[in-house]
Every structure is written in C-alpha cells, then in structure tokens.
C-alpha cells in the first residue's frame, strides 16, 4: 500500500493497468445489467437507445417462488454466520489464552481441515444428516459449516496480536475470562469480524452443490439452487431471463457491499485477508 | 455412555430443527421421485399435476416429486443419496448414465417388477429404438420418459431469398453444403452475416451430434455393451473431417466451435440458416420465429440418420421393496399413452410410444404443427447416444478430441486416434 511510486509514468502505467483489470472484471456484470433491463431482442446487440424494460424481472419473479428462496438463503446464511462467530471466537480465545498440553497439536489438526475439500465429504455428511433426520432442513444444510477452521485460524492470529498489557489491565480491574473476551478481544478484532463475515456470507450465499444435494422442497431450497430453473440448456439459453435472475439473486449482496464499501475495504486491509 | 451421549446430541439437534420436521403419515407408502427440468416452461407444475392425478387414483401411495436442477445436478443428488444408503425410490436420469448406475450398483432392473402379461404388453409398447438404450445384458434397466432426438431446422425465408425451393430441406451431405453456400450472405466488408449451417460442438453437445454424423456415414461410435469405441474407424474420421471442412473448406459453418446455448438465438435472428439441435427446441422456436421455418430429418452420406437423447426412469435398488413396487406403478402411469401424449405437447419431447401418437390430443396437435411429427418418423433411423462404462471420462475424452479437431489444434485423424487411445486405457478393466 505504502510503496512510493517515484516516476509519474510508472504511476500512469499502474493506474492504466488497474483500470484495465477492473473493466475486464466488471464487464460480465455490465453485460448482465444491460441484458436484464432490455427486451430479449437486444440480448446480443448493443443499441444505446434500446427500450428499457422491467419485464424480464417480472417473468423471473413469477417463474419461481423467489421470495421464499430469498428467505431460505437469508436464514441459512444468518444461522451459519452467528454460529461461526460464536464457535470460532470461543475456540480461538481458548487457543490463545488458555494453552493446555497438546493444544498446539490440536490447533494443527484444526488447520489440517483446511486441506479437505467439502465436496469429498458429501456422501458422509449426507449419511450423517439422514441418521439425524435432518435431510431437507435448513438446520441440516447449515450443520457441516457451523464451525470453520479458517475462522478459528483467523481469529487466533488476530487475538494473538492483542497486547498482553490490555488483557492484564482488564484482569486487574476484576474482569472475568468472558468479560475480557467481550470487552478487550472482540472490540479489537472488529475489522477481522467484518472481513470474515463478508467472506462467509458471500461463500454461503453462493454455495450450490451441498444445498442442492440436501434440499428437496421449496421450503428449504436456497436461491442458488432455485436459479437452476433458468439454466434449461436443452432449449438454448434465454439470456434476458438468466441475467435478470442473476441480478435479483446478487442484488442484496451488491447493495450491501456498496453501502458498507468503506468499512469493508478498511477491514480487509487491516485483517489482511485478500 | 457413548450411546447415551449420542442420543442426547441427537435430541438437541432435533429440537433445533423443530421447524424443519414434518410428520410423515405411517400408513402410506412413500415414493420419492427426483426429476430434472431441461426445457423451459412451467414444467414443475405439469409434473405436480400428473402426480396429483396418480395420487387420486392410488390413495395408498404418497408421491414426493423433487425437482432437482438439470440432469447433472439430479445425477449427483441421486448418487449421493444412494451411496449414503437413503436413495430416492425412482429418478429420471440420462439414458447414457445407464452403465454408470449399473457399475455403481444402485439401480434395479425393471424386469423384477414387471410380472403380469399386462406389464409385458406395456413394455412392448415402447419404440424399439428407445428401449434399446435401456437394455444391457438382456435386462431392462429403465423405461423411456422424456426422450428427444436431434433434427435440422431450416429458415424457409432464407432459402427463398437464395433462390432455393423453400420446402425442400437437404437430404444428403452434398446438398447441405450446396444449400449452405447458396444462402451464405456477406456484408460490404466481406464479413459473413448469414452462415449456411451450424452444428453445436461445445462440450455436452459435441458427442451427441457427432453420433449422428458418424451414423450418417454408416459408422458407430461404440458397441452395445459399452466396452469398446470405434473412433479410429475411417468412416468415423471421415465424418469428423466433414464437420471440420464445413467451416474450413466450404466456409458455410461459423469458424471454431458453435455454442449449443446460443444456436437457437442465432437461428431466430437469421444469423444461421440451418441448425442442428433437438426436437425439444420446437416449442421455443415455433413461438419466437419471425419467419417461416421447417423441421427436417437429418441428411446422410450413406443413409440419413439421427441420434436419440433424453432421460429414462430408473428404480433404485436400495429403496424398500414396497416403495419400489409403488414406484413401478407410478412409472407405468407416467409413461402411459395418455400422459406421454400430454407431456409431448407440453414440452416438445418425442413420445416414445406409438400408442401415445394415436391419442386424440396429440393427433390434433400434430395436425396444427406438422413439424412435431418429423421427429417421430426419424426415430427408426436413429442410433442411441454415446454411452459406455465410465461414461463421464470417456465422453470427456471424445469431447476433447472433437474440440481439438474443430478448433484446428489437431487433424481429425490425430484427434480421434488420441481420443481412442485414451478411452481404451479407461475401458481396459471392462474388457472381458
């Protein structure tokens, strides 16, 4: 961030490069916006003054119970986020402040889990859920993700950077372990929580394979799985519908990001996640 | 102790999930039925309607239809469930998945359920070409449900503009090339604005339509047992060479790989005058075409031929016996002449039973849209879709070869030789 760019020509080059990458990155989104708001005839044609329409959105909204899908996704993501915050905070706090014999080995084992792709566990997780009678429930869909090795690792690193003096001062004031956690560690780690929360929310908002396998009904199906209705490949792709549906499903995240942009960017810079 | 703690945990989790649990009626036999939706339209409601009819006629059976995405998603979902010991009772999966499902040991032959002469008559009512893709080792592993076939759509307006007879589609490869050259249109700068013919060659459709090309040249891609492929057969290579030359030598096909998903749009906007795609597109094209179009059987080199596609009903062996018997009843109902006739009208799929075509509603539909019957006439001259053991891997090898040839990275000979070598390696364990 703080690299000094000496020559103006280098600055120009970097700026140009950044713009180029940004344009490439954003172009699918621009295409989606264009196609979603225009009649199907303009899906593959660019005309500045083509008629605008909201018809695609109306068709999409009526083609599937989207309101319910949104609610399902929202419940799923909230459940996962809240549980992950609680579980990962507690675990990280224990690893940092209450070392015990073998705690390092245990931490290594937690880290090992980062190397296992969730897809590998598909069949086993499904079997466990069916034994618990939780197939086709939002709880079941969230269950494998309620703890996160990445979250534990991240919070542990953040908590480790908290100065010992602060913790000791709090203890001298008579704070118990839970109070120290809530009054000292969590406030200092706030940027990490925001950054991690964003990563988790966007991951689970977009997650597809596991929800697909576990959900059987409209009452549990999240929006990503519901979107599949529009990928009717046998008949060719109706881009206007697909893009309108995509806009709908990413809109909440996109709007939230635009509103909280500053906080997010700062959190990422401070938390060091990229 | 361990056991006690486990139950405690279970109880805790179960109470968490109160909202998600629904009471299941004990007395009824429950049939879970996974199905994909591959064509547009409100098909989920159509299926729900059929199921409601079935339940009304069979009050002792409860059917839970589960819409599960496209074919790939449905297969993943069904296999995961089957492997973890809780399979769906029945599912509509690709006809080409037959070897995979048998090798994974998750499906049961329908012969085990078809005991009565009435059942046998029902099976005999399917068109032999479709039934063939469900038979392995003399057993019937599935029954045809949503079946399609590949056909040629042509733009009559473009034909008339080019001075061709608008009512005469090509019947041979040479005619297709000649007509393609006639309808070719370029703008002032020499850029082609209307191509002659488009054959989708992206992953997923390449192996399907190539099956048709090979069959038109009198060759086959694989044997019935799914243990051997014949990609280095000179006739197969010649078929691929023809496909490549459509673009490279004759200049009537868009260069490189034509995308399946955009092909109907290309046709509807007049960018391609003849396209190869599925009968499943008829409803879409008939609704959106602003010009007169026709539907024709495929042309041929040795003889006209096409390829079959679509999905069959499978019964999963891991389900309880009474559920499987109930599922058999459901399948019989959903593949009856009446339902198949209605399904064909709603979706554009080809009814795989001659009896269905004699239903009054389908007859009336064909009278209004004669193109719908073209597919039926072509079925006798159609071959099953490419399917072998380890189907996902062999299909990938074939698709990679086709892509390499179409993009010009390899010659057709080299591409097919490489694909054949790769497939032989994959299929080695299945050679007896």
């Amino acid at each position: 961030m703080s690299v000094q760019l000496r020559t103006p020509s280098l600055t120009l080059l970097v700026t140009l490069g950044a713009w180029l990458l940004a344009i490439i990155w954003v172009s699918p989104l621009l295409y989606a916006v264009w196609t979603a708001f225009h009649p199907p005839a303009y899906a593959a044609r660019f005309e500045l003054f083509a008629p605008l329409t909201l018809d695609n959105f109306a068709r999409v909204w009526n083609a599937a119970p989207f309101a319910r899908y949104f609610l399902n996704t929202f419940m799923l993501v909230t459940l996962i986020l809240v549980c992950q915050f609680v579980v990962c905070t507690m675990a990280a706090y224990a690893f940092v402040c209450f070392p015990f014999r073998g705690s390092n080995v245990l931490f290594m084992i937690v880290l090992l889990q980062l190397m296992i792709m969730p897809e590998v566990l598909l069949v086993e997780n499904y079997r466990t859920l069916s034994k618990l009678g939780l197939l086709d429930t939002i709880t079941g869909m969230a269950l494998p993700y309620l703890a996160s090795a990445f979250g534990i690792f991240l919070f542990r690193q953040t908590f480790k950077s908290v100065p010992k003096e602060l913790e000791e001062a709090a203890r001298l004031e008579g704070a118990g372990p839970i109070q120290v956690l809530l009054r000292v560690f969590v406030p200092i780690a706030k940027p990490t929580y925001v950054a991690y929360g964003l990563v988790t929310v966007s991951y689970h908002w977009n997650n597809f394979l596991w929800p697909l396998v576990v959900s059987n009904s409209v009452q549990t199906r999240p929006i990503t799985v519901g979107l599949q209705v529009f990928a009717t490949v046998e008949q060719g792709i109706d881009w206007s519908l697909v893009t309108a549906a995509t806009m709908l499903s990413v809109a909440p995240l996109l709007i939230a990001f635009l509103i909280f942009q500053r906080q997010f960017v700062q959190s990422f810079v401070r938390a060091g996640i990229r | 102790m361990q056991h006690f703690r486990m139950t405690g945990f279970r109880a805790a989790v179960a109470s968490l999930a109160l909202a998600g649990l629904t009471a299941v009626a004990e007395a009824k036999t429950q049939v879970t039925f996974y199905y994909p939706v591959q064509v547009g339209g409100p098909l989920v409601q159509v299926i729900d309607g059929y199921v409601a009819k079935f339940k009304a006629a069979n009050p002792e059976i409860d059917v839970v239809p589960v819409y599960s995405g496209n074919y790939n998603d449905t297969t993943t979902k069904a296999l995961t469930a089957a492997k973890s010991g809780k399979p769906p009772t029945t599912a509509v999966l690709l006809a080409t998945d037959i070897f995979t499902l048998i090798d994974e040991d998750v499906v049961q032959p329908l012969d085990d359920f078809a005991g009565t002469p009435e059942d046998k008559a029902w099976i005999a009512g399917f068109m032999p070409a479709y039934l063939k893709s469900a038979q392995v080792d003399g057993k019937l592993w599935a029954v045809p449900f949503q079946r399609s076939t590949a056909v040629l759509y042509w733009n009559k307006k473009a034909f008339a503009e080019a001075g061709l007879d608008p009512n005469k589609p090509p019947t041979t490869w040479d005619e297709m090339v000649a007509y393609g050259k006639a309808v070719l249109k370029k703008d002032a700068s020499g850029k082609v604005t209307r191509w002659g013919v488009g054959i989708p060659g992206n992953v997923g459709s390449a192996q399907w339509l190539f099956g048709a090309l090979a069959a038109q040249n009198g060759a086959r891609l694989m044997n019935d047992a799914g243990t051997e492929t014949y990609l280095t057969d000179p006739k197969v290579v010649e078929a691929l060479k023809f496909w490549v030359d459509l673009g490279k030598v004759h200049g009537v096909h868009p260069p490189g790989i034509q995308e399946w998903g955009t092909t109907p749009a290309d046709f509807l906007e007049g960018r391609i005058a003849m396209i190869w795609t599925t009968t499943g597109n008829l409803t879409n094209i008939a609704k959106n075409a602003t010009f007169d179009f026709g539907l024709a059987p495929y042309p041929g080199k040795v003889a006209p031929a096409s390829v079959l596609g679509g999905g069959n009903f499978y019964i999963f062996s891991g389900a309880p016996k009474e559920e499987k018997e109930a599922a058999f009843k459901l399948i019989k109902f959903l593949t009856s002449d009446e339902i198949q006739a209605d399904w064909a009208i709603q979706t554009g799929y080809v009814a795989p039973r001659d009896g269905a075509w004699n239903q009054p509603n389908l007859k009336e539909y064909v009278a209004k849209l004669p193109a719908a019957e073209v597919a039926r006439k072509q079925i006798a001259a159609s071959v099953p879709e490419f399917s072998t053991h380890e189907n996902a891997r062999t299909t990938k090898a074939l698709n990679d070869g086709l892509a390499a040839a179409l993009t010009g990275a390899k010659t057709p000979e080299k591409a097919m030789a490489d694909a054949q070598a790769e497939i032989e390696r994959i299929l080695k364990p299945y050679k007896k």
Side-chain angles (χ1 to χ4, degrees):
Chain A
M1 280 309 283
S2 58
V3 179
Q4 291 275 321
L5 298 168
R6 284 191 194 98
T7 57
S9 62
L10 191 64
T11 319
L12 188 72
L13 211 64
V14 169
T15 313
L16 275 181
W19 269 99
L20 188 72
L21 286 179
I23 287 169
I24 293 174
W25 188 85
V26 84
S27 54
L29 197 65
L30 290 180
Y31 171 76
V33 173
W34 165 264
T35 313
F37 285 101
H38 289 90
Y42 295 91
R45 244 180 321 173
F46 184 77
E47 256 172 61
L48 193 57
F49 297 108
L52 291 168
T53 174
L54 288 175
D55 189 39
N56 297 327
F57 290 96
R59 273 160 73 207
V60 164
W61 192 263
N62 292 329
F66 263 101
R68 180 73 214 199
Y69 292 163
F70 265 119
L71 181 68
N72 294 338
T73 296
F74 182 75
M75 290 199 293
L76 174 72
V77 170
T78 314
L79 181 63
I80 291 177
L81 189 68
V82 169
C83 289
Q84 281 193 350
F85 274 171
V86 173
V87 172
C88 297
T89 304
M90 298 297 226
Y93 187 45
F95 277 128
V96 173
C97 293
F98 307 99
F100 50 92
R101 185 192 287 267
S103 69
N104 268 332
V105 176
L106 196 64
F107 183 62
M108 287 299 156
I109 295 174
V110 169
L111 283 191
L112 263 184
Q113 204 221 316
L114 281 177
M115 296 182 197
I116 303 170
M117 296 300 291
E119 284 75 18
V120 176
L121 299 171
L122 207 59
V123 172
E124 267 319 305
N125 281 344
Y126 191 95
R127 186 174 302 172
T128 312
L129 280 198
S130 98
K131 278 188 190 144
L132 293 169
L134 287 179
L135 285 178
D136 197 25
T137 63
I138 295 201
T139 321
M141 214 184 291
L143 201 57
Y145 295 101
L146 293 188
S148 153
F150 178 61
I152 294 173
F153 168 75
L154 196 70
F155 292 158
R156 176 181 176 270
Q157 298 314 102
T158 315
F159 289 168
K160 276 191 113 168
S161 67
V162 173
K164 264 271 179 271
E165 293 76 20
L166 280 180
E167 188 197 336
E168 278 159 10
R171 278 185 194 280
L172 279 180
E173 300 278 334
I178 292 293
Q179 271 178 315
V180 170
L181 175 66
L182 293 180
R183 297 276 163 79
V184 178
F185 284 90
V186 173
I188 290 177
K190 209 176 131 204
T192 313
Y193 279 93
V194 175
Y196 179 71
L198 188 69
V199 171
T200 294
V201 167
S202 68
Y203 179 84
H204 289 285
W205 194 279
N206 294 326
N207 201 3
F208 176 72
L209 186 64
W210 173 247
L212 166 80
V213 168
V214 179
S215 65
N216 282 347
S217 58
V218 172
Q219 281 71 36
T220 55
R221 198 174 287 148
I223 193 127
T224 41
V225 180
L227 261 185
Q228 273 298 90
V229 182
F230 301 102
T232 53
V233 282
E234 242 182 59
Q235 211 169 53
I237 300 161
D238 186 343
W239 286 111
S240 330
L241 277 195
V242 173
T243 50
T246 311
M247 292 307 296
L248 271 182
S249 70
V250 301
L253 282 195
L254 207 63
I255 292 168
F257 184 80
L258 290 178
I259 294 174
F260 300 110
Q261 196 180 15
R262 189 173 293 267
Q263 283 93 319
F264 282 138
V265 172
Q266 281 174 358
S267 297
F268 272 99
V269 171
R270 274 193 238 156
I273 313 181
R274 273 164 197 103
Chain B
M1 189 59 200
Q2 186 64 37
H3 182 251
F4 168 74
R5 276 167 56 192
M6 190 57 207
T7 20
F9 176 60
R10 258 194 223 191
V13 176
S15 62
L16 257 177
L18 264 181
L21 286 178
T22 44
V24 179
E26 293 293 322
K28 284 189 175 182
T29 311
Q30 194 175 17
V31 172
T32 325
F33 151 44
Y34 289 0
Y35 67 96
V37 170
Q38 286 290 112
V39 297
L43 293 193
V44 176
Q45 284 93 309
V46 176
I47 295 263
D48 285 346
Y50 294 160
V51 165
K53 250 192 215 170
F54 176 76
K55 282 204 270 196
N58 300 274
E60 76 286 1
I61 300 173
D62 188 27
V63 182
V64 184
V66 178
Y67 155 68
S68 24
N70 59 24
Y71 276 122
N72 263 337
D73 299 338
T74 310
T75 309
T76 310
K77 201 169 148 74
L79 271 179
T80 310
K83 281 282 153 190
S84 61
K86 279 267 294 186
T89 330
T90 179
V92 175
L93 303 173
L94 278 176
T96 51
D97 280 333
I98 187 165
F99 292 109
T100 310
L101 293 167
I102 295 173
D103 290 342
E104 294 283 346
D105 199 16
V106 294
V107 288
Q108 191 165 352
L110 273 98
D111 307 305
D112 297 2
F113 306 99
T116 65
E118 183 212 340
D119 292 342
K120 300 245 159 74
W122 160 71
I123 289 173
F126 289 101
M127 297 175 183
Y130 279 121
L131 220 42
K132 207 173 153 200
S133 65
Q135 286 162 325
V136 171
D137 291 338
K139 285 188 194 137
L140 183 69
W141 295 88
V143 287
F145 174 60
Q146 45 186 36
R147 300 309 305 259
S148 57
T149 178
V151 286
L152 182 135
Y153 292 75
W154 87 98
N155 182 335
K156 290 188 178 173
K157 195 172 135 225
F159 269 47
E161 272 174 29
L164 297 168
D165 179 353
N167 292 316
K168 198 173 159 290
T171 54
T172 64
W173 284 5
D174 293 337
E175 273 178 21
M176 192 169 77
V177 171
Y179 294 0
K181 281 181 180 161
V183 297
L184 205 67
K185 216 162 74 175
K186 292 183 182 169
D187 63 11
S189 61
K191 209 176 124 233
V192 177
T193 55
R194 183 167 70 206
W195 293 97
V197 56
I199 304 178
N202 57 312
V203 171
S205 52
Q207 88 284 355
W208 196 49
L209 295 175
F210 186 58
L213 276 166
Q216 288 159 17
N217 204 20
R220 321 185 45 195
L221 295 181
M222 75 286 166
N223 64 352
D224 287 340
T227 53
E228 264 182 341
T229 57
Y230 310 115
L231 304 185
T232 44
D233 177 346
K235 285 189 205 148
V236 173
V237 175
E238 195 191 347
L240 179 56
K241 201 162 171 313
F242 172 70
W243 192 358
V244 173
D245 285 350
L246 279 177
K248 226 167 79 180
V249 177
H250 307 299
V252 295
H253 188 282
I257 289 172
Q258 172 71 20
E259 277 291 325
W260 174 270
T262 56
T263 301
D266 284 335
F267 182 70
L268 289 171
E269 293 187 14
R271 284 194 292 269
I272 301 179
M274 291 179 275
I275 57 164
W276 287 34
T277 182
T278 166
T279 46
N281 253 318
L282 178 58
T283 320
N284 171 30
I285 290 182
K287 204 172 73 193
N288 294 313
T290 52
F291 49 82
D292 234 9
F293 72 95
L295 194 73
Y298 276 160
K301 169 101 198 268
V302 174
S306 183
V307 64
L308 303 173
N312 290 343
F313 263 114
Y314 294 88
I315 291 186
F316 283 79
S317 52
K321 191 162 174 287
E322 57 281 9
E323 276 186 26
K324 287 189 283 193
E325 274 159 8
F328 182 72
K329 268 193 189 166
L330 174 71
I331 293 172
K332 253 173 54 181
F333 174 79
L334 288 175
T335 56
S336 63
D337 291 342
E338 298 82 46
I339 297 287
Q340 279 295 317
D342 187 61
W343 188 235
I345 296 168
Q346 304 270 4
T347 58
Y349 282 118
V350 184
R353 300 173 64 84
D354 284 317
W357 291 91
N358 290 329
Q359 294 291 314
N361 52 351
L362 189 52
K363 271 188 165 163
E364 199 182 305
Y365 178 71
V366 168
K368 256 192 294 181
L369 193 66
E373 222 190 357
V374 169
R376 181 196 175 189
K377 290 182 183 145
Q378 187 186 241
I379 287 167
S382 297
V383 295
E385 195 172 345
F386 182 82
S387 168
T388 69
H389 290 276
E390 298 283 343
N391 197 45
R393 292 169 67 200
T394 56
T395 304
K396 182 178 182 302
L398 173 58
N399 271 325
D400 288 349
L402 294 174
L406 288 171
T407 52
K410 288 180 187 170
T411 62
E413 291 83 5
K414 175 93 172 71
M416 286 298 98
D418 289 355
Q420 176 71 18
E422 172 72 11
I423 291 174
E424 269 170 24
R425 195 178 60 76
I426 295 168
L427 289 182
K428 217 172 198 173
Y430 299 92
K431 282 257 173 110
K432 283 165 201 147

